[in-house]
């Protein structure tokens, strides 16, 4: 993806508006219907399909770190509400001429392949996004972010739970990030923003670069 320095345009607004519409649609869960999702505007020429809001937050933070603006390149970052929705998204977007790339956890890559995306069209986080970020930052830097957010005390309490005693700190952090609704999304953004460009996990860099 090229470096974009120009101001946001109406086409950029169309891309971000489509992102918001998709995010609102996927958040409806059981009430959502395929017919309720608008067709992509002409400004959307590419899309990164991600499992959920935390992946989208991390990608937007990575783009900012890299100095690129996906919307200005016509690329939408679309949370699907789960990997099992990827077949529908591919079926809806590919016929519109939208170039697609997937970002997913290692255990969900099969859904993307069965939806028709090739291995070169999928960036795989091993074992998942949180694992990639924890590995890139290390536990001390992650704890420093928790401290700034006022969550370090909660994490210390969590560490003393019977199920967590004796586990490695990175394993405890991994579990902690998924224990409260919205925490993955918040820390997906914050932990990614903590990294320098050269430290960003390869799946995040690759997902942006491919489109």
């Amino acid at each position: 993806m090229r470096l974009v320095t120009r101001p946001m345009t109406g086409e950029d607004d169309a891309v971000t508006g489509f992102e918001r519409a998709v995010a609102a649609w996927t958040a409806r869960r059981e009430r959502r219907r395929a017919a309720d999702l608008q067709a992509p505007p002409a400004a959307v020429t590419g899309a990164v399909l991600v499992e959920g809001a935390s992946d989208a937050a991390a990608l937007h933070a990575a783009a900012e770190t890299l100095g690129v603006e996906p919307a200005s390149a016509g690329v939408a970052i679309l949370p699907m509400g789960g990997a099992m929705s990827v077949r529908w998204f591919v079926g809806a977007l590919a016929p519109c001429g939208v170039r697609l790339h997937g970002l997913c956890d290692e255990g969900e890559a099969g859904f993307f392949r069965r939806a028709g995306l090739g291995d070169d069209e999928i960036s795989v986080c091993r074992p998942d996004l949180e694992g990639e970020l924890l590995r890139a930052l290390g536990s001390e830097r992650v704890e420093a972010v928790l401290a700034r957010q006022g969550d370090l005390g909660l994490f210390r309490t969590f560490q003393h739970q019977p199920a967590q005693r004796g586990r490695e700190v990175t394993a405890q952090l991994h579990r902690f990030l998924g224990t409260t609704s919205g925490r993955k999304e918040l820390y997906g953004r914050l932990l990614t923003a903590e990294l320098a460009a050269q430290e960003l996990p390869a799946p995040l860099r690759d997902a942006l670069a491919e489109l």
Side-chain angles (χ1 to χ4, degrees), residues 55-70 77 133 188-189 191-197 200-201 203-206 208:
D55 308 280
L59 271 178
H60 281 294
E64 185 173 347
T65 296
L66 292 169
V68 298
E69 294 175 1
I77 297 172
L133 294 174
R189 175 175 58 83
L191 296 181
T192 303
E194 194 74 9
L195 293 164
L200 289 170
L204 293 180
R205 294 197 311 270
D206 294 346
L208 291 168

Side-chain angles (χ1 to χ4, degrees), residues 2-206:
R2 70 185 189 283
L3 178 66
V4 178
T5 57
R6 63 180 175 79
M8 295 284 280
T9 68
E11 287 188 352
D12 302 335
D13 291 340
V15 175
T16 56
F18 183 62
E19 289 178 336
R20 288 192 294 269
V22 169
W25 181 77
T26 57
R28 288 200 290 272
R29 299 183 184 276
E30 70 277 358
R31 292 173 292 166
R32 69 190 187 194
R33 298 178 303 169
D36 293 336
L37 182 61
Q38 68 186 57
V44 177
T45 59
V48 183
L49 303 178
V50 300
E51 295 182 56
S54 61
D55 308 280
L59 271 178
H60 281 294
E64 185 173 347
T65 296
L66 292 169
V68 298
E69 294 175 1
S72 295
V75 175
I77 297 172
L78 304 179
M80 302 180 297
M84 288 185 289
S85 297
V86 65
R87 185 183 296 273
W88 185 88
F89 273 84
V90 171
L93 296 174
C96 298
V98 178
R99 296 171 296 120
L100 300 175
H101 192 86
L103 175 73
C104 64
D105 297 344
E106 187 173 25
E108 312 296 347
F111 290 109
F112 287 71
R113 295 188 182 101
R114 288 191 290 274
L117 297 182
D119 287 342
D120 60 339
E121 297 172 309
I122 309 170
S123 297
V124 180
C125 296
R126 294 180 170 84
D128 53 24
L129 173 65
E130 292 73 34
E132 292 278 358
L133 294 174
L134 288 169
R135 191 160 52 246
L137 281 165
S139 59
E140 289 186 5
R141 292 172 70 186
V142 173
E143 288 189 1
V145 177
L146 291 178
R148 290 200 296 271
Q149 292 299 306
D151 284 338
L152 187 58
L154 289 175
F155 177 60
R156 294 289 183 243
T157 299
F158 176 80
Q159 286 180 297
H160 287 96
Q161 293 180 0
Q164 299 303 319
R165 293 172 187 167
R167 302 185 73 197
E168 292 185 357
V169 175
T170 52
Q172 294 171 335
L173 285 165
H174 191 281
R175 183 69 186 94
F176 178 76
L177 292 175
T179 54
T180 300
S181 177
R183 186 175 285 163
K184 277 189 176 183
E185 181 178 359
L186 172 64
Y187 283 101
R189 175 175 58 83
L190 293 177
L191 296 181
T192 303
E194 194 74 9
L195 293 164
Q198 67 273 16
E199 297 178 304
L200 289 170
L204 293 180
R205 294 197 311 270
D206 294 346

